[in-house]
Amino acid sequence: DTQTKQIQEGISHVEKHFGELCQLFAAYVRKTARLRDKSDLLVREISLYADTETPNLKNGLKNFADQLAKIQDYRQAEVERLEAKVVEPLKVYGNIVKTKREDLKLTQSARNREAKQMQQLERMRQRNPSDRQIIAESELQRATMDATRTTRQLEETIDMFEKQKIQDIKRILGEFVTVEMTFHAKALEVYTTAYQHIQSVDEEGDL
């Protein structure tokens, strides 16, 4: 019973926290997508403004806008990767948890059958007709074997579940960091180029 309670608690913790993580990462991805959309508007406005300016500034602004647009392409890739490598794998845990709960239920009902058979046998022993007692003992034996088998299966499946959970959370959070680092590394390069474009505008030439 203590073991079952521990398993139930473990499954509940995973259900609660993986669910929360899934929702928060999904919200993070949506915010990133909104930032990409706002940045696209910014790119368009800089381009429109560039069309009204003197040649050197126009050229500098257009180049700057191009670099900013490139960053939004990287941001789009970031959104898609986070969705595929972080949010989706967390979503899967809804079904995994449901399956583990069902496994636990099967084990519980097998144990309950064993307990019921034990009580019946005890009652028969008190009444003492030997042939009925033999039948009850064989039924108890069958129920005990069933309970032992399902308990062993549950232990194996829970061990696998625990191992998988650790591997998955390591992989998912690792993917999150990798996707973010890739985006920021590329964005830093492009921002550097954007900065150089705008700083190299020849003021004197336009004046």
Side-chain angles (χ1 to χ4, degrees):
D1 284 349
T2 311
Q3 191 184 29
T4 306
K5 199 176 172 196
Q6 276 180 334
I7 291 167
Q8 274 172 335
E9 278 175 9
I11 291 169
S12 295
H13 288 321
V14 170
E15 184 177 38
K16 179 180 185 284
H17 295 293
F18 273 55
E20 283 291 320
L21 284 170
C22 186
Q23 285 183 339
L24 289 168
F25 273 122
Y28 182 97
V29 172
R30 285 194 301 276
K31 287 275 188 197
T32 306
R34 280 206 285 276
L35 179 59
R36 174 208 58 213
D37 295 342
K38 291 291 179 197
S39 300
D40 285 341
L41 294 174
L42 193 58
V43 167
R44 199 172 73 201
E45 183 51 40
I46 293 168
S47 284
L48 289 169
Y49 168 51
D51 289 334
T52 68
E53 273 300 344
T54 47
N56 283 311
L57 182 55
K58 177 180 179 174
N59 194 36
L61 286 169
K62 287 282 186 187
N63 287 333
F64 181 85
D66 286 346
Q67 296 305 307
L68 215 53
K70 198 185 278 186
I71 288 168
Q72 302 332 304
D73 293 341
Y74 289 136
R75 193 165 267 138
Q76 175 59 29
E78 175 196 15
V79 165
E80 288 167 9
R81 285 183 189 136
L82 287 174
E83 188 67 47
K85 292 173 182 264
V86 177
V87 178
E88 282 305 315
L90 283 168
K91 267 187 201 170
V92 168
Y93 265 80
N95 283 334
I96 291 173
V97 164
K98 204 188 286 179
T99 308
K100 295 306 155 211
R101 283 199 195 287
E102 282 163 14
D103 291 345
L104 197 57
K105 257 185 218 162
L106 284 173
T107 308
Q108 279 298 100
S109 57
R111 283 180 182 167
N112 291 343
R113 276 196 305 276
E114 183 191 17
K116 224 177 258 176
Q117 294 287 352
M118 241 174 208
Q119 286 169 350
Q120 274 182 342
L121 181 63
E122 220 28 68
R123 281 198 296 272
M124 283 182 181
R125 276 196 183 127
Q126 283 160 10
R127 292 191 209 124
N128 205 18
S130 58
D131 57 339
R132 282 168 69 188
Q133 192 174 325
I134 290 163
I135 294 164
E137 276 173 358
S138 73
E139 280 179 13
L140 172 63
Q141 199 173 11
R142 197 163 49 242
T144 304
M145 279 165 62
D146 194 27
T148 307
R149 182 178 50 78
T150 52
T151 302
R152 194 169 57 245
Q153 280 174 349
L154 179 71
E155 281 169 2
E156 284 168 13
T157 190
I158 289 301
D159 282 348
M160 277 165 56
F161 170 68
E162 288 295 324
K163 188 179 178 183
Q164 190 69 50
K165 172 195 73 179
I166 295 166
Q167 288 173 348
D168 284 344
I169 199 70
K170 279 171 71 178
R171 183 175 48 78
I172 290 165
L173 295 180
E175 290 285 7
F176 171 71
V177 171
T178 306
V179 169
E180 288 295 291
M181 278 169 54
T182 303
F183 167 74
H184 287 291
K186 290 200 180 289
L188 190 59
E189 282 176 37
V190 181
Y191 276 128
T192 304
T193 308
Y195 182 83
Q196 287 163 352
H197 278 306
I198 207 67
Q199 292 306 311
S200 65
V201 169
D202 182 1
E203 298 165 40
E204 291 303 316
D206 276 0
L207 287 169

